[in-house]
Amino acid sequence: MPTRIAVPLALVNLASFVSQIIQIGVIDTLLPLALTNAGLGEQHGGIMLSLYWLADLIGGFFVAAILRKTHPVIPLVISGLSFFILIVVVMYAPQSSFVLPATLFAGLGLILRWVVCDGLIVQLAPIDKMGRVVGFHETLMGLGIVLGPILIGWLGDDALVLSGIALLAAIVPVLCGFALPPIEMASTQKGAGAALQRWISHWDLVLIAFAAGFIEICFLSVLPLQAQRDTGLADGGLWLAAVFVFGGTVCQPFIGYMSDKSGPVKLAWMCFALLLVGAMPLALAGYGAFAAIVQFALGVAVAGLYTAAVLIAASGRGKGGYQVGVLVLVSQSYTLGAIVGPSAGTALLVMIGNWALPILVLAAAGISVGLLCMRYLAQRAQRAKI
């Protein structure tokens, strides 16, 4: 790969990796756990995490306009500052009134960094290697998420060290941003009507990304709380959450290769099938080796869903750039799933215990497969009429 492409790609991957450690790996696990341990209750922590993703979703409607007018380094500065502030507030004052605004600000920072990095990956990747380049990027992002629960399990309540790590993770992407090119975007219709039309026209893409976000954030937020209820300690759940993300991480290069060979749509179907097969053993798996195998396999499926959604959106790239609104739609759909996931997961955990995750996985994957099958049959019937 030419140096003019390889160097910016390396910097984008580095920025994604270090940001991901805090923005998803740490925050998605730490926020509900810290608030629960501060005496605010499991459901309160789940709702607050949902608000984090709600801010991410709403911010997505303004990202394209921001990126048209600013160099990538500006969104990366805002992003780093936002998650550093949230970590400091959660670690030092989890019961204060500052938690809510810090959470909302961090959600905005997440969507800014997310679209900048995904957008540059799509822009810089060679067409014939798109799946593998995106797969490698998702590998590093997944590894960043894996390190989040490990850091929490290792550092525990050491507020000073965790805040220092968050500060370092904020500085590195900013330094990378100075060497990144501006994002090239093809012209697209603006306004609320155009945004709504994109959601309707690409509803299958919305469905795939939604399922990925819903299931992934359910697992990250529920597993530590479930282990704490079962064993008195969150450690077992933290390690299973790490294994879950690690499964998708190490298999991303293979996932990208499969997409290059068979296409992202077939990749999505295979991932849904794996989720349906692997859901039921969850309730009986416990916290041993068998549980780790199940979590690993389900992590592969969820990571594959998100990669498939990004690649479907990336297929619209043209000479003038790409339709950034469609790529934003992927992150927003994932975010919408992440908003619903923690609240649904923690509420169902309180109601039915260890059956919460299996039921949620079966519901998300089953409904998605059913709707996609209906779409396929409708398209087939329409082609038959023609």
Side-chain angles (χ1 to χ4, degrees), residues 8 47 75 154 172 181 229 236 242 265 305 351 360-361 368 374:
I47 291 171
W154 178 33
V172 171
R229 288 166 61 93
V265 175
L305 282 181
M351 294 171 58
L360 290 171
V361 171
S368 299
M374 291 173 61

Side-chain angles (χ1 to χ4, degrees), residues 361-373:
V361 171
L362 285 173
I367 292 172
S368 299
V369 168
L371 291 174
L372 291 173
C373 284

Side-chain angles (χ1 to χ4, degrees), residues 171-211:
I171 292 173
V172 171
V174 174
L175 296 177
C176 293
F178 285 107
L180 295 176
I183 294 183
E184 301 171 1
M185 293 184 284
S187 60
T188 184
Q189 291 182 322
K190 303 178 180 65
L196 178 61
Q197 185 58 47
R198 281 193 291 272
W199 282 77
I200 295 172
S201 300
H202 301 279
W203 70 266
D204 54 331
L205 183 60
V206 170
L207 194 64
I208 294 170
F210 175 88

Side-chain angles (χ1 to χ4, degrees), residues 8-386:
L9 276 176
L11 293 174
V12 174
N13 280 314
L14 178 60
S16 281
F17 172 64
V18 297
S19 298
Q20 198 83 339
I21 295 173
I22 305 298
Q23 287 185 307
I24 296 185
V26 168
I27 289 177
D28 282 354
T29 306
L30 177 66
L31 191 58
L33 192 60
L35 297 182
T36 299
N37 291 340
L40 298 173
E42 295 171 344
Q43 289 181 310
H44 181 89
I47 291 171
M48 194 61 64
L49 186 56
S50 293
L51 290 176
Y52 172 69
W53 287 99
L54 179 62
D56 177 276
L57 174 67
I58 295 173
F61 291 102
F62 307 98
V63 167
I66 293 172
L67 296 185
R68 287 180 188 279
K69 299 178 180 178
T70 63
H71 188 273
V73 72
I74 302 301
L76 292 176
V77 169
I78 298 172
S79 174
L81 181 64
S82 71
F83 67 68
F84 171 68
I85 290 174
L86 178 59
I87 293 299
V88 171
V89 170
V90 168
M91 294 305 296
Y92 286 98
Q95 293 182 315
S96 72
S97 59
F98 296 108
V99 173
L100 177 59
T103 299
L104 297 177
F105 183 38
L108 175 62
L110 171 59
I111 190 65
L112 286 172
R113 189 272 306 171
W114 192 345
V115 176
V116 165
C117 292
D118 274 8
L120 287 172
I121 289 292
V122 169
Q123 177 177 313
L124 294 168
I127 294 292
D128 60 336
K129 297 179 180 178
M130 179 73 71
R132 277 159 282 190
V133 172
V134 171
F136 180 76
H137 180 241
E138 296 302 325
T139 295
L140 291 179
M141 292 180 74
L143 182 59
I145 298 175
V146 169
L147 292 177
I150 293 175
L151 279 175
I152 296 171
W154 178 33
L155 299 175
D157 297 327
D158 195 329
L160 181 62
V161 175
L162 192 56
S163 299
I165 291 174
L167 179 60
L168 178 62
I171 292 173
V172 171
V174 174
L175 296 177
C176 293
F178 285 107
L180 295 176
I183 294 183
E184 301 171 1
M185 293 184 284
S187 60
T188 184
Q189 291 182 322
K190 303 178 180 65
L196 178 61
Q197 185 58 47
R198 281 193 291 272
W199 282 77
I200 295 172
S201 300
H202 301 279
W203 70 266
D204 54 331
L205 183 60
V206 170
L207 194 64
I208 294 170
F210 175 88
F214 178 85
I215 296 172
E216 182 162 45
I217 307 307
C218 263
F219 274 66
L220 291 178
S221 59
V222 169
L223 281 171
L225 297 176
Q226 178 178 299
Q228 191 162 269
R229 288 166 61 93
D230 291 345
T231 67
L233 296 172
D235 293 2
L238 288 170
W239 283 105
L240 284 182
V243 170
F244 171 78
V245 179
F246 185 69
T249 300
V250 298
C251 291
Q252 275 289 358
F254 175 72
I255 289 171
Y257 175 80
M258 289 293 293
S259 179
D260 283 339
K261 295 300 180 182
S262 61
V265 175
K266 288 185 179 180
L267 173 63
W269 281 107
M270 289 187 287
C271 292
F272 277 127
L274 184 56
L275 285 171
L276 291 173
V277 171
M280 290 307 296
L282 277 174
L284 306 175
Y287 299 95
F290 178 66
I293 293 172
V294 173
Q295 295 292 344
F296 185 94
L298 293 177
V300 173
V302 171
L305 282 181
Y306 180 75
T307 299
V310 171
L311 291 171
I312 293 170
S315 64
R317 190 179 76 173
K319 292 183 179 180
Y322 61 93
Q323 297 288 346
V324 71
V326 179
L327 192 61
V328 171
L329 185 63
V330 174
S331 59
Q332 286 183 301
S333 303
Y334 178 97
T335 296
L336 188 59
I339 292 170
V340 180
S343 296
T346 53
L348 205 59
L349 177 65
V350 172
M351 294 171 58
I352 61 176
N354 290 0
W355 282 96
L357 287 177
I359 289 176
L360 290 171
V361 171
L362 285 173
I367 292 172
S368 299
V369 168
L371 291 174
L372 291 173
C373 284
M374 291 173 61
R375 177 178 180 270
Y376 172 77
L377 293 174
Q379 290 178 334
R380 185 175 178 180
Q382 188 175 10
R383 286 195 298 266
K385 290 180 180 179
I386 296 175

